Amino acid sequence: MKILARKLVSRLSIEDAVTVAFIAALVLMCMVTLLAWYSVTHFIQSTHWVDHTHIVLETVEHAKASSDEALSVAQEFVITGDPTSMAGRDRAITDLQSSLHDLGTLTADNSAQQERLAIVNSHAVARIEFMNAVILARQTGGFEVAQRLIASGQSRGQVNQLRDLLDAMAGEERSLLRQRLLADELSQRRLIGACGALLAVVILIVGLGLFRLRRELHLRQKLADRLERKTIELQTSNKELESFSYSVSHDLRSPLRAIDSFALMLQEDYAAKLDDEGRRYIAVVRDGAQQMGRLIDDLLAFSRLGREPIDALNINPRLGAERAVREVLAAYTGTAPQILVHELPSACGDAVLLHHVWVNLIANAVKYSSKIAAPRIEIGGCIQGSEAVYFVKDNGAGFDMRYADKLFRVFQRLHGANEFPGSGVGLAIVQRVIGRHGGRVWGEGKPDHGAKFFFTLPQAAFV
Amino acid sequence: MSEVEEVEILLAEDSATDAEVTQRALKKANIGNPLLWVKDGAEALDFLHHRGRYAGRASARPRLVLLDLKMPKVDGIEVLRDIRATPALQTLPVVMLTSSSEESDVVRSYALGVNSYIVKPVESQKVFEEIARLGYYWLIMNRPPS
């Protein structure tokens, strides 16, 4: 369970983890609030019960006092025979009756108390009757008769029984209150415990969330710092590269041009004074200088295409491919191959940079199919998921798939310069430009059965 | 120095071989307009402003200035800036003839008002062809302000 939870937590993204922790903490806090509300309600109920018990106890005492009062009034009358004391007796009896009625209402929910009260009531009735009999005896028979009736002992026992019964009712109420308070205390303790536990869980969740968040922020800050350092390093090396390629473009090309131009001048002005071997030497010098010039130009293009910022827009690749076809054919001196440009899916990219991709792929296709009888080049594409896939296919010299991974490296060539001329930079340029667009490049081929080069472009903006 | 006064093409180029190639190419294309070759930007400005070696020589302004970008002392960009800032030279046709194909150089030159920007190819045949075309265009076809 614990491992599962940890797995779940570590698999969740930081955004999801924080959301889950926040919702869990919120739900738990709601539960704590509900419990607290429940606890307070319960507490108010308990105080009601305490009040109720006190009222019952008071009423019991009142009943006891009324019954005693009634008895003492009766006794006073027996001794004095004074009829005015009779008013006190009536009041005491009314009080007793009203107290007993109140008790009946107060203990309506308790059947045991109701049974007791029934007995109390019957005793009270009997007692009132007895007192009435005593009073009657005093009035008709005089003090002696009444005295004898009282002495018969009936009265004393009744008084004690009534008191005991009322005490028992009071005792029952007290013990009920005690039980209720005990139960309340227990449930209160449980509630407090539950609230405490929930709060502890909330604190744990919030704490863990905070810890995770802090760690994430720390990590992100570290990453941002690293990125900034790398960016500065990259900018520095880019600047160095820029000044390097500037020197290359100016300082290396100038002496090369001198070599080629003066070799040409030698050829033009002194060809007659040289023999065939001498003239061949000059030709070799010029070939070498020109080859090196092309290498420098291609390398500079490669370097520049890696540094220029990408301006990605929605493009129409078919227009780009057709423009490249026209450009390649204009520079081609051999017999033009058959070139078929299919409908191409639209994509997002930098038209200027992608022009180099089309030109290099199409120029390669034209070059490597130049030695066969019916050269045919096909350009097509389709949508695959979120990418557009394009291809340039020819039926020319092809290549061995064993060396497929070398194709895209700078200066790597699978054919000799005397077989097919080239600097070995074209496909490296293709890969660099497509890589900067977030796409992929790959080639399929078979010796003497043509080659097919693919590249992908994102369909939506990527920068 | 009557030849100086007749200068129609001012060529500022620090490389002697490049200067020789340019002169030969123009000559081969039968563009015989008198040409003065100066080795750096400072000398080019001296000539244009009639100072230093060229002080007191009331030569007419040339019909075309060919500027290399990278030169000792004062480079092509500075010469161009000076020409465009001088009222008497403002309308002078200036062509950058350079080895640099850097986009920043092209943009800077045009921002300062260059009339044309030519990247010299390495291959000699093309160099000769392009310089011939350049001379033909600027000295025969084009009508400069007088």
Side-chain angles (χ1 to χ4, degrees):
Chain A
M1 186 68 192
K2 211 174 158 185
I3 295 166
L4 193 78
R6 190 173 299 161
K7 259 188 189 167
L8 200 69
V9 166
S10 60
R11 194 172 298 170
L12 282 175
S13 72
I14 182 69
E15 285 83 1
D16 290 346
V18 167
T19 310
V20 165
F22 182 77
I23 289 171
L26 209 66
V27 168
L28 289 173
M29 284 305 290
C30 286
M31 284 169 75
V32 169
T33 312
L34 272 176
L35 281 175
W37 177 77
Y38 178 72
S39 168
V40 168
T41 318
H42 210 74
F43 178 72
I44 292 168
Q45 241 170 13
S46 296
T47 49
H48 279 318
W49 276 118
V50 172
D51 287 348
H52 175 263
T53 307
H54 281 132
I55 292 167
V56 170
L57 291 178
E58 253 173 51
T59 314
V60 164
E61 285 307 313
H62 202 74
K64 272 159 72 181
S66 309
S67 113
D68 287 350
E69 173 73 9
L71 184 64
S72 69
V73 169
Q75 280 172 342
E76 195 189 326
F77 179 74
V78 167
I79 294 162
T80 62
D82 181 4
T84 55
S85 54
M86 288 306 285
R89 183 204 70 132
D90 288 343
R91 201 172 52 240
I93 285 171
T94 312
D95 274 0
L96 177 63
Q97 279 170 339
S98 109
S99 294
L100 291 179
H101 177 260
D102 287 352
L103 273 179
T105 316
L106 285 166
T107 60
D109 60 329
N110 189 326
S111 59
Q113 292 288 68
Q114 288 284 310
E115 276 170 32
R116 279 197 195 92
L117 189 65
I119 302 170
V120 166
N121 270 325
S122 67
H123 275 277
V125 168
R127 177 146 192 203
I128 292 163
E129 278 170 4
F130 176 68
M131 273 194 303
N132 286 343
V134 168
I135 289 164
L136 193 67
R138 175 70 172 84
Q139 283 170 336
T140 54
F143 176 75
E144 297 295 323
V145 179
Q147 186 67 30
R148 235 178 289 136
L149 190 60
I150 292 169
S152 68
Q154 202 183 348
S155 164
R156 181 64 51 206
Q158 273 174 346
V159 170
N160 286 340
Q161 257 184 328
L162 192 64
R163 289 186 75 95
D164 289 349
L165 275 166
L166 282 168
D167 282 342
M169 279 187 79
E172 170 77 10
E173 280 304 312
R174 280 200 199 91
S175 92
L176 265 176
L177 179 63
R178 233 185 346 266
Q179 277 171 26
R180 278 193 189 115
L181 289 180
L182 264 174
D184 283 354
E185 202 182 315
L186 198 69
S187 74
Q188 289 283 349
R189 276 182 202 284
R190 280 199 194 125
L191 277 174
I192 290 170
C195 280
L198 284 175
L199 275 175
V201 174
V202 169
I203 289 168
L204 189 76
I205 288 172
V206 171
L208 277 176
L210 195 71
F211 174 73
R212 178 89 204 268
L213 207 62
R214 279 185 66 97
R215 201 180 57 180
E216 188 70 20
L217 283 175
H218 180 69
L219 267 173
R220 285 189 185 186
Q221 189 56 51
K222 254 170 74 178
L223 270 175
D225 290 349
R226 240 175 64 192
L227 200 66
E228 199 182 348
R229 270 204 310 278
K230 288 275 170 208
T231 310
I232 291 168
E233 277 172 32
L234 201 66
Q235 279 168 348
T236 314
S237 70
N238 259 354
K239 274 209 185 89
E240 281 167 10
L241 197 67
E242 230 162 283
S243 66
F244 170 75
S245 53
Y246 189 90
S247 308
V248 167
S249 71
H250 193 275
D251 300 348
L252 286 189
R253 284 155 60 101
S254 204
L256 259 182
R257 189 168 46 246
I259 294 170
D260 193 31
S261 300
F262 279 81
L264 177 69
M265 278 143 77
L266 192 65
Q267 229 170 20
E268 286 176 352
D269 296 356
Y270 297 94
K273 293 186 181 170
L274 293 168
D275 59 4
D276 284 350
E277 195 66 354
R279 284 190 285 273
R280 193 179 69 82
Y281 289 170
I282 294 175
V284 170
V285 168
R286 292 198 57 205
D287 271 357
Q290 284 168 21
Q291 168 74 1
M292 189 168 166
R294 278 193 295 274
L295 275 178
I296 289 172
D297 286 348
D298 286 351
L299 254 189
L300 279 176
F302 177 67
S303 149
R304 201 168 40 240
L305 293 176
R307 286 179 285 128
E308 256 165 37
I310 291 189
D311 184 16
L313 296 167
N314 273 326
I315 48 160
N316 182 343
R318 189 169 175 180
L319 291 180
E322 283 169 345
R323 203 181 114 212
V325 166
R326 283 196 299 275
E327 191 178 310
V328 169
L329 290 182
Y332 185 60
T333 47
T335 317
Q338 184 194 351
I339 301 184
L340 189 63
V341 184
H342 295 285
E343 207 50 63
L344 297 179
S346 71
C348 190
D350 184 317
V352 175
L353 291 182
L354 289 173
H355 178 66
H356 295 275
V357 172
W358 286 119
V359 165
N360 275 298
L361 289 179
I362 294 164
N364 272 358
V366 170
K367 178 164 68 183
Y368 290 107
S369 61
S370 61
K371 292 189 179 172
I372 64 161
R376 184 188 152 85
I377 294 164
E378 215 178 314
I379 297 165
C382 64
I383 298 283
Q384 269 179 23
S386 61
E387 290 179 323
V389 186
Y390 305 96
F391 67 82
V392 176
K393 186 183 161 193
D394 67 65
N395 57 352
F399 63 89
D400 191 332
M401 281 301 279
R402 272 183 296 175
Y403 309 115
D405 59 322
K406 286 189 173 175
L407 281 170
F408 299 97
R409 294 190 203 153
V410 182
F411 293 147
Q412 288 281 353
R413 303 201 66 226
L414 298 186
H415 299 273
N418 48 359
E419 198 182 350
F420 292 104
S423 61
V425 180
L427 284 178
I429 286 177
V430 169
Q431 189 178 45
R432 187 164 237 197
V433 170
I434 294 302
R436 292 190 65 207
H437 278 78
R440 292 165 293 125
V441 188
W442 69 98
E444 287 170 4
K446 199 175 162 192
D448 299 324
H449 284 84
K452 193 173 178 182
F453 284 92
F454 298 86
F455 68 91
T456 68
L457 283 177
Q459 282 223 278
F462 54 92
V463 261
Chain B
M1 293 282 259
S2 62
E3 58 169 315
V4 172
E5 277 155 31
E6 282 168 23
V7 167
E8 287 186 13
I9 304 169
L10 176 67
L11 171 65
E13 168 67 75
D14 65 324
S15 154
T17 51
D18 273 359
E20 197 178 334
V21 167
T22 303
Q23 283 172 283
R24 182 180 164 111
L26 288 171
K27 202 182 276 173
K28 260 187 83 178
N30 292 324
I31 294 163
N33 307 52
L35 181 145
L36 175 71
W37 167 44
V38 291
K39 284 197 172 94
D40 56 58
E43 205 184 329
L45 287 177
D46 280 351
F47 172 78
L48 290 169
H49 291 297
H50 315 297
R51 62 193 185 201
R53 279 177 62 186
Y54 305 97
R57 284 174 189 160
S59 57
R61 66 176 206 179
R63 291 181 62 193
L64 177 66
V65 177
L66 296 174
L67 277 182
D68 186 14
L69 261 184
K70 226 177 130 192
M71 289 183 292
K73 295 186 209 165
V74 178
D75 67 17
I77 288 285
E78 284 170 78
V79 174
L80 175 63
R81 188 179 289 126
D82 188 290
I83 289 174
R84 290 297 177 241
T86 308
L89 301 172
Q90 235 164 21
T91 54
L92 192 60
V94 178
V95 173
M96 284 292 177
L97 190 58
T98 173
S99 303
S100 169
S101 55
E102 279 297 308
E103 184 65 17
S104 58
D105 285 336
V106 182
V107 171
R108 269 201 309 167
S109 302
Y110 272 102
L112 286 172
V114 81
N115 296 87
S116 183
Y117 190 105
I118 311 291
V119 181
K120 280 185 274 185
V122 166
E123 209 182 319
S124 55
Q125 209 76 56
K126 281 189 191 160
V127 176
F128 279 82
E129 280 169 22
E130 290 196 5
I131 289 173
R133 269 191 235 142
L134 165 85
Y136 180 75
Y137 177 82
W138 284 105
L139 296 160
I140 298 170
M141 265 180 83
N142 188 53
R143 159 99 166 76
S146 43

